[in-house]
Amino acid sequence: MLDYIIVGSGLAGISFAEIALKNNKSIVVISDESQNSSRVAGGLYNPVILKRFSEVWKAEEQLSLMDEFYETLEGKLKTKVNFKLPILRKFFSIEEQNNWFSASDKPLLAPFLSTKLIFKKYSGIESPFDYGEVLHTGYVDTALLLDKYHEYLLQNKIFLQESFEHAQLIIHEDFVQYKDYRAKHIVFAEGFGLHANPFFQDLPLDGTKGELFVIKAPDLDLDVIVNTSVFILPLGYDLFKVGATYNWKDKTDAPTEEGRTELMDRIKEIISCDFEIVSHFGGVRPTVRDRRPMIGTHHQYKSLHLLNGLGTRGVMLGPAMAKDLFDYIENQQALDPTIDIHRFYKKRK
């Protein structure tokens, strides 16, 4: 009898797996890795929504948990995955500068927005109005993290690389059975794949497609992340990750000409040097209209749980939401009502 079956091995799934293992719980992770949003993500973590100059929900708490989580993983996997880099917001006018300083006076944003302009000139970017610096930022190499964590799971014989067949799940009073596995609990962390899950598919999980480039720009000299309408993230060897688009209608992973054109236009607004597209990829983020994750236990089956809806901020949200769900299941600690899936069931009554 296992403690947990975990379905899905993206950021949500591995976050829960790691917290369960840390608490000496027995697990098996089942995934065919068909959902690629965690793998192709930009991986940025940023406590400020720069478009609206507002604080990310519970940013300080999430950053603290995140730092400890990835530091522990780096030691365990013997691989560097968390790279702390400043995010600079390029200003296009004096008015944007003024908006920045107004935002930095807000108590919730003051810890994260530097009041010192960055005057440095980067080769390949014209910046007559300079930059503002966001503090406590960086990125996680999500593809490398997932590869290494999957290797770890395989080495410990707790990773089943196959599609989960929901029809094979048998639900008993105090445990579930899936093929040869029995477990006290099952956690579904399937991302956008939730739509194929008959137990939770009635929940309003949306999908927001994002497309990204890796570009080569030898004349772009950048050792920070620049963020305006898109982000430009240095990868080394003259390579940069650029993204992302937001498409609420297309629910496929395939790169599109529309996405390509949008990214090309936005890159040209920021950099003034030549570049070539090395790769172009897409993924569907598991998003929710109220911009909160969906965490909790099935309204009818007490052994079935959900960890989903991390959206565009899986790197920050994953560890915190996995901990919240684990504490809810194991220690009966109440979930924040704004993330509990029962917020949707209540609306239907």
Side-chain angles (χ1 to χ4, degrees):
M1 176 74 73
L2 296 170
D3 290 304
Y4 289 97
I5 295 171
I6 299 164
V7 183
S9 63
L11 285 168
I14 71 166
S15 293
F16 193 88
E18 184 60 18
I19 285 171
L21 290 171
K22 187 178 176 182
N23 285 275
N24 300 312
K25 299 298 180 181
S26 54
I27 69 166
V28 65
V29 178
I30 304 174
S31 173
D32 60 4
E33 301 177 62
S34 61
Q35 299 301 315
N36 72 339
S37 64
S38 291
R39 183 170 292 279
V40 305
L44 272 62
Y45 51 89
N46 174 6
V48 180
I49 301 169
L50 290 171
K51 189 175 181 180
R52 299 190 295 274
F53 282 127
S54 56
E55 183 205 23
V56 169
W57 173 71
K58 293 190 175 180
E60 204 160 342
E61 176 185 326
Q62 288 172 28
L63 284 171
S64 176
L65 275 168
M66 185 199 79
D67 278 342
E68 180 186 346
F69 180 82
Y70 292 117
E71 185 179 338
T72 300
L73 272 186
E74 287 177 333
K76 180 173 185 170
L77 304 175
K78 297 181 172 55
T79 304
K80 178 76 174 169
V81 296
N82 184 11
F83 300 89
K84 295 182 182 295
L85 274 185
I87 290 180
L88 302 188
R89 170 66 181 267
K90 177 183 170 180
F91 297 131
F92 289 88
S93 65
I94 294 295
E95 183 183 8
E96 282 195 359
Q97 284 186 3
N98 292 337
N99 290 341
W100 177 275
F101 287 119
S102 295
S104 68
D105 281 338
K106 297 177 181 177
L108 290 177
L109 294 178
F112 306 124
L113 297 181
S114 173
T115 55
K116 296 178 182 177
L117 287 178
I118 303 296
F119 302 110
K120 183 174 178 178
K121 300 302 176 185
Y122 294 97
S123 175
I125 302 183
E126 294 176 4
S127 54
F129 299 101
D130 306 310
Y131 305 90
E133 181 180 355
V134 188
L135 307 174
H136 310 295
T137 60
Y139 76 98
V140 170
D141 187 333
T142 55
L144 179 61
L145 170 62
L146 294 180
D147 284 343
K148 293 295 182 182
Y149 202 82
H150 293 171
E151 283 177 21
Y152 164 79
L153 293 173
L154 282 168
Q155 286 167 3
N156 287 274
K157 297 183 172 59
I158 51 175
F159 192 24
L160 196 60
Q161 291 177 296
E162 64 179 44
S163 297
F164 186 85
E165 300 174 50
H166 298 88
Q168 296 269 12
L169 184 67
I170 302 169
I171 304 168
H172 297 277
E173 179 66 26
D174 294 313
F175 68 95
V176 296
Q177 184 167 346
Y178 180 73
K179 297 184 177 178
D180 294 333
Y181 296 95
R182 297 199 306 169
K184 297 173 187 173
H185 304 279
I186 184 166
V187 173
F188 291 103
E190 301 157 296
F192 189 63
L194 180 73
H195 288 282
N197 184 324
F199 304 106
F200 292 104
Q201 65 185 179
D202 60 332
L203 289 171
L205 183 76
D206 203 355
T208 308
K209 181 172 182 171
E211 296 184 51
L212 299 95
F213 286 162
V214 172
I215 65 170
K216 186 162 190 172
D219 297 325
L220 181 57
D221 179 21
L222 202 58
D223 58 358
V224 297
I225 302 165
V226 172
N227 191 316
T228 56
S229 58
V230 291
F231 66 81
I232 301 180
L233 165 65
L235 300 174
Y237 305 99
D238 299 328
L239 297 174
F240 302 85
K241 186 179 278 190
V242 182
T245 62
Y246 291 83
N247 185 323
W248 287 268
K249 293 180 181 178
D250 184 357
K251 309 298 184 184
T252 70
D253 293 336
T256 64
E257 194 58 40
E258 180 187 358
R260 181 186 179 92
T261 300
E262 182 180 341
L263 283 174
M264 290 279 285
D265 290 345
R266 291 187 178 186
I267 293 169
K268 290 173 182 176
E269 290 175 356
I270 304 170
I271 68 176
S272 54
C273 60
D274 293 333
F275 63 92
E276 63 173 301
I277 300 168
V278 175
S279 55
H280 177 192
F281 41 91
V284 182
R285 314 171 185 94
T287 54
V288 187
R289 289 196 181 277
D290 65 6
R291 294 192 174 92
R292 290 287 185 271
M294 297 198 300
I295 316 294
T297 298
H298 192 274
H299 61 93
Q300 184 178 352
Y301 304 118
K302 64 181 182 181
S303 298
L304 274 59
H305 313 281
L306 187 70
L307 175 54
N308 208 315
L310 303 188
T312 61
R313 301 186 183 274
V315 162
M316 277 180 69
L317 278 171
M321 296 301 96
K323 181 179 184 300
D324 282 358
L325 180 60
F326 184 84
D327 286 340
Y328 171 68
I329 297 169
E330 295 290 339
N331 305 316
Q332 291 75 54
Q333 289 187 16
L335 289 170
D336 182 325
T338 66
I339 65 172
D340 192 331
I341 57 174
H342 289 283
R343 70 190 188 269
F344 300 113
Y345 296 123
K346 286 177 181 176
K347 288 177 183 176
R348 296 171 190 168
K349 289 180 180 179

